[in-house]
């Protein structure tokens, strides 16, 4: 039964992923509510239900709009696939539990923020404002141990990130700062430190790979929120195991 449910979560995830793409793309342009249906960004043709099937429609159309042949960004099917895998893995990892709910809310935040940052180089305030009360309510029902660890995590994140924000003189965006603080609240102090460390490791690795590929000298601003999101998911799924492993490492 578990396999069947995991597959259902995967399919549900791809459908939600397709919605999260739209949210990430339209929230920064504030056109989320003005346009009812999905359309081609190039020719504005409304998409039929066939063209809305996650991942498969992209493959069937060979990555192009049926009407105008404009290329569809591979980012969309990739994010649909990633969302499907994350939904499935959240269920697989935590089963029917409060953690599963937290996982789904985290994915609903992280995927649109990732799309928005890759596309527009910003973390939309509207998304952070929408999700903050949801996470606060979640932590009222399912507090960390001790409960004030959330406040400690958010407080330390606030001080640390504001310091980096002012020292880096625009190297880090205010959106990234707020994004980190929200995760400080969700995960508490210890896990926040792990998240902060991991996001920087991911950033450095991808930064080096990109420099290799494009050749040094060309400075393109790297979207950083995807690394914060990836680190948050790593901490959510494996944080306890990593902290435990580290504790053993320094004990012996
Ligand atoms: Zn088109």
């Amino acid at each position: 039964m578990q396999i069947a449910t995991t597959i259902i979560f995967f399919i549900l995830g791809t459908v939600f992923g397709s919605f999260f793409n739209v949210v990430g793309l339209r929230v920064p342009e504030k056109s989320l509510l003005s346009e009812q249906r999905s359309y081609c960004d190039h020719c504005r043709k409304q998409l039929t239900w066939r063209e809305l099937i996650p991942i498969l429609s992209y493959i069937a159309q060979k990555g192009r709009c049926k009407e105008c042949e404009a290329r569809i960004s591979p980012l969309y099917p990739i994010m649909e696939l990633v969302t499907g895998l994350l939904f499935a893995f959240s269920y697989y990892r935590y089963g029917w539990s409060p953690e599963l709910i937290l996982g789904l809310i985290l994915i609903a935040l992280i995927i649109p923020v990732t799309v928005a940052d890759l596309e527009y180089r910003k973390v939309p305030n509207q998304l952070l404002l929408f999700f903050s009360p949801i996470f606060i309510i979640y932590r009222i029902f399912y507090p960390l141990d001790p409960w004030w660890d959330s406040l400690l995590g958010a407080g330390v994140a606030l001080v640390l990130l504001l310091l980096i924000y002012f020292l880096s003189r625009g190297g880090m965006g205010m959106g990234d700062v707020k994004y980190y603080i929200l995760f400080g609240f969700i995960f508490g102090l210890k896990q926040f430190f792990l998240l902060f460390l991991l996001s920087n490791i991911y950033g450095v690795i991808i930064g080096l790979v990109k420099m290799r590929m494009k050749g040094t000298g060309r400075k393109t601003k790297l979207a950083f929120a995807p690394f914060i999101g990836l680190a948050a998911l790593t901490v959510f799924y494996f944080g306890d195991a990593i902290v435990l492993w580290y504790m053993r490492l320094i004990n012996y």
Side-chain angles (χ1 to χ4, degrees), residues 40-45 65-70:
C40 165
D41 285 320
H42 192 69
C43 66
R44 303 262 145 178
K45 183 187 94 82
C65 169
K66 266 191 191 162
E67 190 76 12
C68 69
E69 302 249 297

Side-chain angles (χ1 to χ4, degrees), residues 8-232:
I8 292 169
F9 265 91
F10 173 76
I11 295 167
L12 260 176
T14 61
V15 174
F16 272 93
S18 158
F19 171 64
F20 297 157
N21 272 330
V22 174
V23 172
L25 284 172
R26 305 229 183 130
V27 157
E29 291 187 325
K30 297 192 169 63
S31 60
L32 189 62
L33 297 173
S34 58
E35 295 287 342
Q36 293 302 313
R37 299 260 314 264
S38 293
Y39 54 80
C40 165
D41 285 320
H42 192 69
C43 66
R44 303 262 145 178
K45 183 187 94 82
Q46 285 209 340
L47 301 183
T48 61
W49 68 269
R50 258 171 204 277
E51 292 165 282
L52 285 170
I53 300 169
I55 307 168
L56 297 179
S57 66
Y58 181 86
I59 297 168
Q61 292 167 230
K62 299 192 178 72
R64 288 182 188 278
C65 169
K66 266 191 191 162
E67 190 76 12
C68 69
E69 302 249 297
R71 271 187 67 92
I72 303 165
S73 167
L75 182 67
Y76 308 146
I78 290 171
M79 291 320 252
E80 286 163 0
L81 181 66
V82 168
T83 310
L85 292 173
L86 290 173
F87 266 51
F89 189 67
S90 298
Y91 171 74
Y92 175 81
R93 173 84 174 78
Y94 290 113
W96 298 108
S97 66
E99 282 78 17
L100 175 63
I101 301 169
L102 179 60
L104 299 181
I105 307 170
L106 277 171
I107 298 163
L109 167 71
I110 290 169
I111 298 294
V113 167
T114 302
V115 171
D117 200 32
L118 288 174
E119 208 71 19
Y120 305 99
R121 293 290 181 277
K122 63 176 161 191
V123 177
N125 231 346
Q126 301 97 306
L127 286 175
L128 298 177
L129 284 173
F130 179 83
F131 278 96
S132 294
I134 297 176
F135 285 116
I136 291 170
I137 291 167
Y138 180 89
R139 275 288 170 248
I140 290 171
F141 280 98
Y142 304 106
L144 291 170
D145 180 26
W147 66 268
W148 42 264
D149 195 18
S150 278
L151 302 182
L152 193 65
V156 171
L158 174 84
V159 174
L160 177 69
L161 270 302
L162 278 184
L163 202 67
I164 294 171
Y165 175 77
F166 287 115
L167 289 177
S168 74
R169 293 165 197 258
M172 174 175 277
M174 203 56 193
D176 292 331
V177 172
K178 288 183 256 181
Y179 201 31
Y180 268 125
I181 295 170
L182 182 56
F183 286 129
F185 176 84
I186 298 165
F187 292 115
L189 187 62
K190 214 188 297 172
Q191 305 261 19
F192 166 74
F193 277 132
L194 179 61
L195 185 156
F196 182 74
L197 183 71
L198 284 171
S199 62
N200 283 284
I201 293 172
Y202 293 151
V204 168
I205 292 171
I206 301 297
L208 287 175
V209 170
K210 270 194 132 181
M211 261 163 65
R212 266 282 166 88
M213 278 162 51
K214 289 184 173 173
T216 46
R218 193 175 153 194
K219 274 192 180 173
T220 44
K221 201 184 167 225
L222 206 59
F224 199 72
F227 304 121
I228 306 174
L230 187 61

